[in-house]
Amino acid sequence: MNSNGVVEWAVVESDIGPLLLAAADAGLVSVVFHARPEVREKAVGQLRARLGAEPVENPGSARLAEPIRQLAAYFAGSLREFSLELDWSLTSGFNRQVLRELATGVPYGAVAGYGDLAERVGQPGAAQAVGVAMGSNPLPVVVPCHRVVESGGGLGGFGGGLETKRKLLALEGVLPQPLF
């Protein structure tokens, strides 16, 4: 439980469908894919339960202005590195450690294997646990779990669905753009 006070959220359109963004005093706290009404409701309920605050829908929120601007620039291809204040309160322990390493250590246009990341945080052999950490990432796109792939060349899993992962990797030039 943290005393974040107010949590504000809004849904924005993107190239990968509607995203729900939520921010608290410390920064952006959550990015949720496929934010259709039923997904929104569930996400807001989870924020309420986990942050102990009543999330308020506020598309004009000053807290959300910069995340919205940077995500739009990212999808337009003009931003390669997010510089946002992030609130890590929805993740902890090993997961937080791995996600922080990912956020700082795997730049735009690059990919890393699950095993690579495990080694980078001093836990060689914890590739599966890294997969779990990616699946629990509260800040996808901004903390780029789409850049984590299988060492054999497979895409690996992805909370937003493989089609979304493909689109993000194509946007970053890692994969060819689909032909249709």
Side-chain angles (χ1 to χ4, degrees), residues 2-81:
N2 70 14
S3 53
N4 252 329
V6 181
V7 177
E8 294 177 309
W9 65 275
V11 173
V12 295
E13 283 306 320
S14 79
D15 292 12
I16 53 170
L19 297 174
L20 183 148
L21 308 179
D25 290 343
L28 189 66
V29 72
S30 179
V31 176
V32 180
F33 291 120
H34 314 303
R36 297 177 296 276
E38 63 279 13
V39 172
R40 276 174 221 186
E41 223 165 288
K42 187 175 163 206
V44 169
Q46 285 173 333
L47 287 167
R48 182 185 303 117
R50 295 193 56 196
L51 297 174
E54 184 54 48
V56 179
E57 185 172 12
N58 183 3
S61 162
R63 288 183 179 149
L64 291 169
E66 196 52 23
I68 289 170
R69 190 192 70 72
Q70 288 192 28
L71 277 160
Y74 169 79
F75 285 111
S78 60
L79 180 89
R80 290 177 163 233
E81 199 177 328

Side-chain angles (χ1 to χ4, degrees), residues 8-177:
E8 294 177 309
W9 65 275
V11 173
V12 295
E13 283 306 320
S14 79
D15 292 12
I16 53 170
L19 297 174
L20 183 148
L21 308 179
D25 290 343
L28 189 66
V29 72
S30 179
V31 176
V32 180
F33 291 120
H34 314 303
R36 297 177 296 276
E38 63 279 13
V39 172
R40 276 174 221 186
E41 223 165 288
K42 187 175 163 206
V44 169
Q46 285 173 333
L47 287 167
R48 182 185 303 117
R50 295 193 56 196
L51 297 174
E54 184 54 48
V56 179
E57 185 172 12
N58 183 3
S61 162
R63 288 183 179 149
L64 291 169
E66 196 52 23
I68 289 170
R69 190 192 70 72
Q70 288 192 28
L71 277 160
Y74 169 79
F75 285 111
S78 60
L79 180 89
R80 290 177 163 233
E81 199 177 328
F82 292 100
S83 54
L84 295 169
E85 291 297 316
L86 301 179
D87 179 328
W88 293 93
S89 56
L90 292 177
T91 181
S92 61
F94 178 78
N95 289 3
R96 184 186 292 192
Q97 198 186 352
V98 170
L99 291 168
R100 282 181 174 271
E101 173 57 35
L102 172 65
T104 55
V106 184
Y108 187 98
V111 292
Y114 294 94
D116 289 345
L117 270 181
E119 268 174 42
R120 289 189 199 193
V121 297
Q123 300 281 338
Q128 234 171 339
V130 167
V132 172
M134 295 305 109
S136 73
N137 180 7
L139 293 160
V141 184
V142 178
V143 176
C145 51
H146 59 276
R147 295 181 193 151
V148 183
V149 296
E150 291 172 356
S151 52
L155 279 180
F158 193 60
L162 286 182
E163 194 43 46
T164 300
K165 187 170 190 171
R166 262 191 213 100
K167 280 185 182 163
L168 291 168
L169 290 171
L171 171 71
E172 296 187 7
V174 175
L175 288 176
Q177 289 287 351

